[in-house]
Amino acid sequence: EVHLVESGGGTVQAGGSLRLSCAASGFTFDDYARGWFRQVPGKQREGVACISSSDGRTYYADSVKGRFTISSDDTENTLYLQMSRLKPDDTAVFYCAARPRGYSDSPGDYDYWGQGTQVTVSS
C-alpha cells in the first residue's frame, strides 16, 4: 500500500526558511514522478514543484522560482522541498504527491497524496 507522509511544516516569519519532507513507502520511489502542491482554503490546489522520474527534470511555479528547491533522496524514499525567502502569500497546506508516469504540475494527474502539512508565514 502506498503511503506518503509529509513533515516539516510550521510557522515562520517572512524571509525565513523551512524544509518539508515527504516519506514514501509501498512503491519504488524513483519510478514515480513526484511533486509538491499547496492549497489555501477556498482556492484550488496548485502545483508548486515537481520532479520527473526518468531524468530528474524539475518544474517550479513562477511564484516560487528562485526561492524553493525540490529534491529527492531515492535511497531513503524521501522527497524534500527547501523553501527560502518565504512570504505571507506562501501560507498554505502543502501536500506531496506521486504518479507512475511523467511529471505534471496538475494535481488531477496524481494518484497518491499525503495528508498535508501546514505552513504559515507571518508578516
Side-chain angles (χ1 to χ4, degrees):
E1 187 177 357
V2 173
H3 281 290
L4 298 170
V5 180
E6 301 96 336
S7 61
T11 299
V12 294
Q13 289 190 329
S17 299
L18 280 175
R19 188 175 81 155
L20 304 183
S21 299
C22 173
S25 62
F27 64 102
T28 304
F29 199 52
D30 55 0
D31 286 344
Y32 282 61
R34 290 138 282 163
W36 287 98
F37 298 81
R38 64 185 179 187
Q39 189 168 23
V40 175
K43 294 189 176 181
Q44 289 188 331
R45 193 169 296 186
E46 64 172 356
V48 175
C50 308
I51 187 165
S52 168
S53 58
S54 58
D55 57 7
R57 183 174 48 162
T58 56
Y59 155 87
Y60 294 94
D62 287 343
S63 59
V64 307
K65 280 181 182 175
R67 301 189 298 122
F68 291 11
T69 302
I70 187 172
S71 63
S72 179
D73 185 338
D74 294 342
T75 62
E76 297 292 332
N77 271 19
T78 303
L79 184 71
Y80 299 100
L81 185 69
Q82 178 68 49
M83 305 186 293
S84 303
R85 291 185 281 141
L86 284 160
K87 305 175 181 179
D89 284 349
D90 294 318
T91 296
V93 177
F94 281 70
Y95 299 88
C96 68
R99 67 192 300 261
R101 290 169 295 277
Y103 83 104
S104 169
D105 64 341
S106 174
D109 290 340
Y110 283 76
D111 301 293
Y112 305 107
W113 291 87
Q115 83 290 349
T117 185
Q118 176 70 46
V119 171
T120 302
V121 184
S122 60
S123 57

